Amino acid sequence: MSLKLAKFLISEFYENNDKYAVIEFFRRSPHGYLSMLLIYSNQIEKNELSLSDIYKNIPDKIASQLTIHNLINDAVDAGFLKKDTMTKDSRAVSITLAYEALEAIKNWLDQFNEVIN
């Protein structure tokens, strides 16, 4: 199974980077990939996620806060993420995926269910 899975992951990487702009954007770096999955999972679970939460969940070894901050701003500019005021603390900023990005990531993740099951 490991050879089949490795080949699947290689082809998946190339195909889905072409198919989904949001996946290609976030998979350019380890901190981008982690940020995407962190934001997606929190949004699906209906948990508000602040920028400081993202900083806390991505180790300094992977990226600095400035690097993560720049990634988030670039993703907002690209239309993949939205920044809103948090409901519990109006001083903090909530980070969520735009609807189209959320749907694209969901569709991308759904294909793994077929391989895993």
Side-chain angles (χ1 to χ4, degrees):
M1 178 66 174
S2 61
L3 176 60
K4 181 180 175 183
L5 184 57
K7 288 183 175 189
F8 168 79
L9 290 172
I10 291 168
S11 65
E12 179 280 323
F13 185 87
Y14 292 120
E15 290 170 18
N16 287 314
N17 275 3
D18 289 338
K19 187 175 178 181
Y20 301 110
V22 65
I23 302 299
E24 179 182 22
F25 178 87
F26 283 107
R27 288 204 298 194
R28 293 182 300 179
S29 63
H31 66 280
Y33 191 68
L34 288 172
S35 296
M36 175 186 71
L37 294 173
L38 182 64
I39 296 164
Y40 176 84
S41 60
N42 276 276
Q43 193 166 342
I44 293 299
E45 292 176 336
K46 302 199 184 315
N47 296 327
E48 281 191 307
L49 186 70
S50 70
L51 195 52
S52 63
D53 293 330
I54 296 171
Y55 296 154
K56 290 175 192 170
N57 283 284
I58 297 178
D60 291 339
K61 288 185 214 178
I62 294 176
S64 68
Q65 288 185 4
L66 179 59
T67 301
I68 296 166
H69 181 79
N70 290 337
L71 171 82
I72 299 299
N73 285 338
D74 290 346
V76 169
D77 292 344
F80 299 133
L81 293 179
K82 298 184 303 180
K83 287 182 176 180
D84 295 305
T85 303
M86 303 239 342
T87 56
K88 296 177 184 173
D89 183 355
S90 62
R91 298 167 297 166
V93 176
S94 172
I95 306 295
T96 57
L97 290 157
Y99 176 77
E100 295 82 13
L102 181 71
E103 288 300 306
I105 294 169
K106 180 189 177 304
N107 291 336
W108 170 70
L109 288 170
D110 283 346
Q111 74 177 335
F112 292 101
N113 289 331
E114 298 169 17
V115 174
I116 294 170
N117 295 327

